[in-house]
Amino acid sequence: ASQELGVSLHNYISRLNESKEKPKMLTPLLNIINGGRHAGTNLSFQEFQIIPQEKTISKNVQVSSEIYQLLKEIISKKYGASATNVGFEGGFAPNITDPRDAFDLLESTIKKSGYKVNLGIDAAASEFYNNEKYFVNNKKYSSSELLDYYSQLLKEYKLVSVEDPFSEDDKKPWVEFTKKFGKKIMIIGDDLLVTNPKIIKEGIKKNYCNSLLLKLNQIGTLTESITAFNLAKKANWKVVVSHRSGETEDSFISDLAFGLNADFVKFGAPARSERTTKYNRLLEIENGI
């Protein structure tokens, strides 16, 4: 359709959503330490992310790439060369179990880089939830104990984004967590919402979270994805357009994210072609290509 009309793909997509704002360049959340099911280690949380604060995607990609390479050096020196093997999304997968070790690695790397960068996590809590308990760092936590654990992490580190802090089958602590921290940080629903407009409406009504992780192939159609986006924005939620762990080199979601005027993108580490192709497409869009 965009070719038939002679307009860029992201410009065509921008005609389909309800946002009248001028598209702005997105901020990336980059997963550079992998844990959970995507890494094969005993680190419970699935993603430890850096969130650069520069004004352009080109500068954000540069900053993130430099931090990623610097982190590789630091991990190799501390844990050995094999610890720089990567998980499904390109993040390093050192054999650590304590989330604080991952945060300390990131903070020391950021300090050494000299850049201003925030942190985020995708806990993917459903993956370590069983029999109404959460298993983190070789300990079992109740929902309220895990909430207290997150509270401590938020005090200790520059965390501004937490995705899937609890299981989608454990709704009550979502409400409590959002009530306590929703004005300070992004609380993102992924497994909780599965990009489903019906579930998103419930999430808005019951105040489960304040942000949507939008995955096009999770819901299955562009129409439903745009409906999900519009629902979230009407509720004043932030929207993160995301890849999947089993990605291809298709870069469509870069045009989708920019065309929808989303707030953030989550494409993985600045490594491996199924990730870098999406960042490269954003660079092209920024340069008017």
Side-chain angles (χ1 to χ4, degrees):
S2 68
Q3 289 177 340
E4 185 70 23
L5 293 171
V7 299
S8 62
L9 183 53
H10 57 80
N11 279 334
Y12 181 77
I13 290 169
S14 70
R15 300 178 185 186
L16 303 178
N17 73 19
E18 296 174 7
S19 174
K20 303 304 177 188
E21 297 176 10
K22 184 179 179 182
K24 60 187 182 301
M25 190 42 72
L26 309 113
T27 300
L29 286 70
L30 299 99
N31 167 21
I32 61 172
I33 293 181
N34 263 185
R37 186 167 288 189
H38 289 181
T41 65
N42 292 318
L43 186 60
S44 296
F45 297 165
Q46 190 163 277
E47 298 180 11
F48 293 79
Q49 306 156 344
I50 53 171
I51 308 171
Q53 303 298 300
E54 305 297 330
K55 293 181 179 179
T56 63
I57 191 65
S58 51
K59 186 64 176 177
N60 276 331
V61 168
Q62 177 193 335
V63 166
S64 303
S65 299
E66 289 179 15
I67 289 173
Y68 181 76
Q69 295 301 327
L70 188 57
L71 176 64
K72 183 177 182 179
E73 293 176 14
I74 290 172
I75 290 175
S76 181
K77 188 176 291 186
K78 188 168 185 176
Y79 296 104
S82 64
T84 59
N85 290 334
V86 299
F88 285 3
E89 293 155 11
F92 299 116
N95 190 23
I96 55 179
T97 59
D98 190 339
R100 284 184 171 88
D101 289 340
F103 287 126
D104 290 341
L105 280 169
L106 292 180
E107 288 210 331
S108 61
T109 304
I110 290 165
K111 184 177 181 180
K112 192 171 182 180
S113 75
Y115 292 117
K116 290 183 179 180
V117 176
N118 289 323
L119 300 178
I121 57 168
D122 173 9
S126 295
E127 300 293 343
F128 53 87
Y129 180 68
N130 188 36
N131 291 327
E132 300 184 350
K133 294 288 184 180
Y134 295 91
F135 193 72
V136 179
N137 194 19
N138 296 318
K139 297 177 184 177
K140 288 184 179 180
Y141 292 82
S142 66
S143 300
S144 61
E145 288 170 340
L146 186 63
L147 197 154
D148 290 340
Y149 180 73
Y150 288 131
S151 299
Q152 286 299 313
L153 293 178
L154 288 167
K155 287 179 184 177
E156 294 173 33
Y157 301 100
K158 293 181 180 178
L159 268 171
V160 300
S161 174
V162 178
E163 180 184 331
D164 283 347
F166 303 96
S167 169
E168 71 263 35
D169 298 321
D170 188 22
K171 303 268 193 335
K172 185 180 178 182
W174 280 91
V175 177
E176 294 172 3
F177 191 65
T178 299
K179 185 177 182 180
K180 189 172 183 179
F181 296 109
K183 292 183 179 179
K184 299 177 183 178
I185 66 169
M186 284 199 304
I187 300 166
I188 305 171
D190 174 19
D191 295 336
L192 176 73
L193 303 172
V194 291
T195 319
N196 186 309
K198 183 179 178 181
I199 301 173
I200 292 166
K201 287 179 183 177
E202 178 188 340
I204 293 167
K205 183 178 179 181
K206 297 186 178 179
N207 202 31
Y208 289 149
C209 53
N210 64 14
S211 303
L212 165 68
L213 198 79
L214 190 154
K215 291 177 175 174
L216 174 63
N217 73 346
Q218 189 177 51
I219 188 61
T221 69
L222 184 57
T223 301
E224 289 169 301
S225 297
I226 294 172
T227 299
F229 173 86
N230 289 329
L231 282 169
K233 295 308 289 184
K234 281 181 180 178
N236 292 316
W237 283 14
K238 299 294 185 183
V239 177
V240 184
V241 173
S242 175
H243 62 173
R244 305 301 298 271
S245 57
E247 267 293 340
T248 72
E249 291 186 350
D250 188 277
S251 64
F252 173 79
I253 56 173
S254 299
D255 282 84
L256 176 68
F258 187 77
L260 288 179
N261 202 16
D263 302 284
F264 297 87
V265 292
K266 195 174 88 158
F267 295 158
R272 301 180 8 172
S273 59
E274 77 275 14
R275 315 288 157 196
T276 57
T277 187
K278 295 164 179 63
Y279 294 118
N280 287 338
R281 178 58 191 143
L282 289 181
L283 293 173
E284 290 178 343
I285 292 171
E286 184 173 80
N287 290 310
I289 300 173

